[in-house]
Amino acid sequence: MSKMTMLLSRRLRPSPFEQRVLEHGATEFTLYNKMILPLIYSSYAEQYTHLCEHVQIWDVACERQVEIVGPDALKLVELITPREMGSCAIGQCKYAPLCDENGGIINDPIALRLAEDRFWLSIADSDVNLWVKGIAYGRGFDVKVFEPDVSPLAIQGPKANDLVADVVGEHTRDIKFFWFTDEIIAGTPVKLARSGWSGQGGFEIYLQDSSKGNDLWDLFWEAGKKYNLQPGAPNLIERIETGLKSYGADMTIDSDPFEAGFESYMDLDKDAEYMCREALAEIAKTGPEKRLVNLFIEGEKLADLRSDWSVLNGSGDHIGVVTSQAYSPRYEANLAFAIVDAAHADVGNTVKVDAEGVVRDATIRDARWREAAN
Ligand code: THG
């Protein structure tokens, strides 16, 4: 089968780390916020094993920032998310789903508070800048909304603490999860956050000058040799094991935050005005019609997921779709996320998955994938 390739043009804005990524031999890419996200250097399986044992450097410049700054910044951020943001301290991050007036999920960014009146939304793959600019204009808010020259570089894996301590200083060991500090690294000012799209621990460095991409990469590359640093990327296998949901695949504007399981990232009783208040209150009364669940699929490794796979009940009725899927070496099973009718979504339920003609037994599991006893 022939592979797709893509021609790069000026519309596909370059990452400041692109040159190093290509020199290291990245072979497969996806499109994310109209930028190239490099995914594969060897294979998902090899990168998974390495990520769980060592430390990786990831070009995640495509996680763009939407900056909101000005006297009405907090009011605007509150308006677009059901999460309470007033208590977010300067130097703190909060995972804050954005919802429209129907409760539909617009995006699931990490919000960073840079000052009383200044936030970054570190966005997943949808057009948040235009959405927020439109709301600011329509409401006559006194704010500026724009995409600054900021590009995250992630350092992920169990050896990330040692590597970052070597490069930036021992004080970085004390940075708490979802907090950040201001640092000068490779001679350029950055935000250094303990965060990242894996369960293996690590940091994200928000580079604020795209001309310094090579310098920043090279500094970590040299210091990382003793830790077996490799280039990597958000890893399909690891992120499913860890339970990280991907906007566009596992949830879309047709999902609401109850369906997505975002209860702990909502403060429905917050004082501030927010546009999805009525819609979410309505959904809360009955519960969502569908739920995003963990599916443990028995048997050998399945093919990669491209089009929807059906989830069926015991009678063969269609009750949902698989949204992400990978074979997990750790659990020796195919793990998946699926959106299924709420009536069939309880943990322990057995279902079937039709993987383009290959039908397998599957069980709905909780976030641990296996019972605690195992
Ligand atoms: N880092 C940065 N920006 C991002 C992502 C990132 N933007 C796009 C996308 N990823 C946003 N989505 C998520 C989803 C989950 C998490 C981070 C970003 C995450 N969740 C933790 C968890 O589920 O264990 C905990 C969140 C919490 O409890 O507050 O880290 O990766 N810069």
Side-chain angles (χ1 to χ4, degrees):
M1 198 162 59
S2 80
K3 281 243 171 185
M4 275 187 248
T5 58
M6 196 157 43
L7 297 174
L8 299 179
S9 81
R10 198 172 137 77
R11 283 185 300 102
L12 304 181
R13 296 164 297 168
S15 156
F17 315 113
E18 182 180 278
Q19 196 183 337
R20 291 294 178 264
V21 163
L22 295 176
E23 285 166 7
H24 281 289
T27 53
E28 291 183 46
F29 307 82
T30 190
L31 203 57
Y32 197 100
N33 284 324
K34 304 178 184 78
M35 288 179 66
I36 300 295
L37 169 56
L39 288 178
I40 303 290
Y41 294 85
S42 53
S43 70
Y44 270 135
E46 287 167 89
Q47 288 171 215
Y48 162 85
T49 306
H50 179 270
L51 172 62
C52 296
E53 291 173 5
H54 302 285
V55 56
Q56 294 183 346
I57 183 167
W58 299 358
D59 173 4
V60 283
C62 64
E63 292 168 353
R64 294 278 90 189
Q65 309 306 299
V66 174
E67 179 160 336
I68 301 170
V69 60
D72 291 331
L74 177 60
K75 209 161 45 163
L76 176 50
V77 175
E78 291 279 25
L79 185 62
I80 59 179
T81 176
R83 188 140 200 204
E84 201 271 317
M85 293 302 301
S87 65
C88 186
I90 297 167
Q92 193 180 3
C93 311
K94 278 197 187 198
Y95 184 41
L98 310 185
C99 298
D100 69 12
E101 72 284 9
N102 304 310
I105 302 176
I106 294 281
N107 199 285
D108 70 327
I110 298 178
L112 294 81
R113 192 166 201 174
L114 306 166
E116 272 315 306
D117 64 348
R118 185 172 173 227
F119 294 85
W120 283 346
L121 302 178
S122 184
I123 64 171
D125 184 19
S126 74
D127 293 328
V128 173
N129 188 39
L130 295 179
W131 167 249
V132 179
K133 278 173 74 74
I135 295 165
Y137 176 74
R139 294 285 295 242
F141 283 153
D142 186 3
V143 287
K144 272 204 315 190
V145 179
F146 62 101
E147 190 187 293
D149 176 10
V150 173
S151 299
L153 179 71
I155 305 289
Q156 297 286 299
K159 298 178 182 171
N161 279 339
D162 290 337
L163 174 56
V164 171
D166 284 2
V167 173
V168 187
E170 287 297 317
H171 66 282
T172 59
R173 295 186 191 275
D174 300 327
I175 299 174
K176 285 181 284 187
F177 184 64
F178 265 50
W179 289 74
F180 64 91
T181 58
D182 281 287
E183 306 285 348
I184 308 277
I185 310 180
T188 191
V190 301
K191 313 283 177 208
L192 176 67
R194 187 180 292 279
S195 58
W197 217 56
S198 85
Q200 305 309 310
F203 293 87
E204 291 179 304
I205 302 157
Y206 292 79
L207 176 65
Q208 300 175 77
D209 175 350
S210 49
S211 73
K212 296 294 201 300
N214 288 349
D215 295 348
L216 187 63
W217 181 289
D218 293 345
L219 188 64
F220 280 96
W221 188 256
E222 284 308 313
K225 284 182 177 154
K226 69 190 253 212
Y227 298 112
N228 190 13
L229 178 72
Q230 289 292 317
N235 186 278
L236 179 72
I237 305 166
E238 198 281 339
R239 71 103 175 163
I240 295 178
E241 287 182 352
T242 296
L244 293 166
K245 312 298 176 346
S246 180
Y247 187 78
D250 305 312
M251 64 205 140
T252 67
I253 198 164
D254 296 323
S255 317
D256 66 64
F258 295 99
E259 172 184 315
F262 285 166
E263 284 82 354
S264 52
Y265 310 120
M266 297 194 271
D267 302 288
L268 298 177
D269 295 330
K270 73 179 186 178
D271 290 331
E273 180 190 359
Y274 64 103
M275 72 172 76
C276 61
R277 186 189 293 269
E278 285 75 28
L280 295 190
E282 205 50 46
I283 299 166
K285 280 189 205 157
T286 52
E289 288 171 13
K290 297 171 183 177
R291 287 190 189 277
L292 181 58
V293 298
N294 289 1
L295 264 193
F296 192 94
I297 311 172
E298 311 290 341
E300 306 279 281
K301 183 182 186 309
L302 289 163
D304 295 335
L305 178 72
R306 177 69 176 87
S307 49
D308 288 351
W309 296 353
S310 279
V311 182
L312 311 169
N313 67 9
S315 326
D317 306 320
H318 176 95
I319 58 162
V321 292
V322 174
T323 58
S324 294
Q325 187 275 141
Y327 184 81
S328 159
R330 181 162 162 214
Y331 296 102
E332 297 176 320
N334 298 279
L335 305 184
F337 300 137
I339 297 176
V340 302
D341 296 343
H344 299 275
D346 290 341
V347 170
N349 271 4
T350 54
V351 296
K352 288 191 188 299
V353 168
D354 183 346
E356 290 171 88
V358 182
V359 179
R360 294 280 181 84
D361 291 322
T363 312
I364 295 172
R365 293 278 171 86
D366 67 16
R368 295 164 303 175
W369 291 109
R370 280 196 195 285
E371 289 70 23
N374 289 352

